[in-house]
Amino acid sequence: MRDEIERLFDSKPAEYSDEDKELFAVFLTELTAGTIRAAEPDEASPTGWRVNAWVKKGILVGFRMGVNTDMSVGAMSFRDKDTFPMQRIAADKNIRIVPGGSSVREGAYLGQNVTCMPPMYINAGAYVDDGTMVDSHALVGSCAQVGKNCHISAASQIGGVLEPVGALPVIVEDEVLVGGNCGIYEGTIIKRRAVLGTGTILNRSTPVYDLVKGAIHRAADDTPLIVPEGAVVISGTRAITNGPGKDWGISVYTPIIVKYRDTRTDTRIQLEDLLR
């Protein structure tokens, strides 16, 4: 399948054949089932992850191939590419999608016992593993990878990275708590058991200051921003130390690691189980 997807992506045919459409249908089924992923763990990689560029190419092929069509349901009017319909959730995984305007696009993988609170949205290519909760007004973007037993709190944004195809998407590993109104963008990796306090924003251009270890975590040309395992990150400020900014007493936003996860933090997080 990989070679055929690469061929379709590179050739950009003016018209797709029935065989091309059948190939994409199989690709989408496997993406939805989680048997293929846009990114996956890789112990040999410096980040612990590798991107599967051909899978991202397959998603882009689907958008090229799709025809804008009526997808209305009852009185609700929708139009979108016919290659990416709304996903119908079967009963076998015990997934909860609470009524109230949520959507999961075909091509997104949801594991066992995932809970979705309304309204939220999970885009094609995303991977949401077992036991995770996606709360109200939260977004899991295209190709974003979310691990087991995470909580993506209300109004948080897990940005997706579909293009460039070789770039890692945003990755949130197992047992991470993402507080309300957080934003994780530009291929940032949140290592397992980390906690992001309310309103924390993480991207390639903003370093994270580690008050515990006396270190500064930054993205580099060939690696994304990586938040260490078990880190507790909150939003803070950093004073400008020269020029007009210093004279005017201006500070800029910066995320800060104030501690690493301990038994007290774990006790608070266990309260989330009551919502599942």
Side-chain angles (χ1 to χ4, degrees):
M1 179 187 294
R2 175 173 181 166
D3 291 344
E4 289 301 302
I5 290 292
E6 297 270 14
R7 174 187 62 80
L8 285 177
F9 180 82
D10 293 335
S11 62
K12 299 181 181 179
E15 190 170 326
Y16 290 93
S17 67
D18 290 342
E19 290 78 11
D20 294 338
K21 294 175 182 179
E22 289 173 6
L23 172 68
F24 178 76
V26 173
F27 168 84
L28 193 65
T29 297
E30 294 197 16
L31 193 62
T32 303
T35 53
I36 57 175
R37 298 173 60 171
E40 58 187 303
D42 182 0
E43 293 182 359
S45 168
T47 64
W49 288 80
R50 74 166 184 270
V51 63
N52 293 322
W54 75 272
V55 175
K56 297 171 79 175
K57 289 179 180 179
I59 296 170
L60 291 169
V61 165
F63 283 112
R64 293 179 193 162
M65 186 181 291
V67 176
N68 197 22
T69 189
D70 185 5
M71 293 186 173
S72 300
V73 179
M76 295 182 291
S77 179
F78 303 102
R79 295 192 67 86
D80 197 6
K81 298 280 187 166
D82 60 356
T83 42
F84 289 101
M86 183 174 66
Q87 188 175 145
R88 300 291 181 178
I89 306 298
D92 59 318
K93 291 184 179 179
N94 195 36
I95 294 168
R96 292 173 56 207
I97 298 188
V98 178
S102 298
S103 293
V104 180
R105 214 172 192 178
E106 196 72 18
Y109 170 78
L110 273 62
Q112 296 282 341
N113 303 309
V114 167
T115 300
C116 301
M117 301 300 291
M120 62 92 237
Y121 184 71
I122 301 175
N123 207 350
Y127 189 101
V128 180
D129 216 335
D130 300 347
T132 284
M133 174 181 280
V134 182
D135 218 330
S136 302
H137 297 282
L139 164 72
V140 181
S142 181
C143 298
Q145 307 288 299
V146 180
K148 292 180 170 65
N149 301 316
C150 296
H151 189 142
I152 311 302
S153 297
S156 288
Q157 308 286 297
I158 311 299
V161 178
L162 186 53
E163 294 184 278
V165 293
L168 271 173
V170 171
I171 292 166
V172 178
E173 294 188 352
D174 296 347
E175 300 179 40
V176 168
L177 173 61
V178 178
N181 284 294
C182 288
I184 310 172
Y185 307 109
E186 298 175 345
T188 295
I189 297 177
I190 312 297
K191 288 295 186 179
R192 62 183 301 272
R193 303 185 71 252
V195 178
L196 304 186
T198 301
T200 302
I201 306 297
L202 299 169
N203 55 42
R204 289 189 63 87
S205 60
T206 306
V208 176
Y209 285 75
D210 191 334
L211 301 184
V212 180
K213 298 183 178 180
I216 302 175
H217 305 280
R218 304 176 186 270
D221 290 342
D222 55 349
T223 56
L225 174 65
I226 301 175
V227 173
E229 180 174 334
V232 179
V233 189
I234 64 170
S235 58
T237 59
R238 177 167 53 96
I240 296 175
T241 58
N242 53 58
K246 178 182 178 181
D247 297 337
W248 296 335
I250 293 175
S251 297
V252 295
Y253 164 79
T254 189
I256 303 168
I257 297 175
V258 292
K259 62 183 290 187
Y260 280 76
R261 195 158 158 179
D262 55 21
T263 55
R264 186 179 178 188
T265 315
D266 289 342
T267 298
R268 291 177 177 174
I269 290 173
Q270 284 168 9
L271 295 175
E272 305 295 343
D273 292 339
L274 298 175
L275 301 174
R276 299 180 190 275

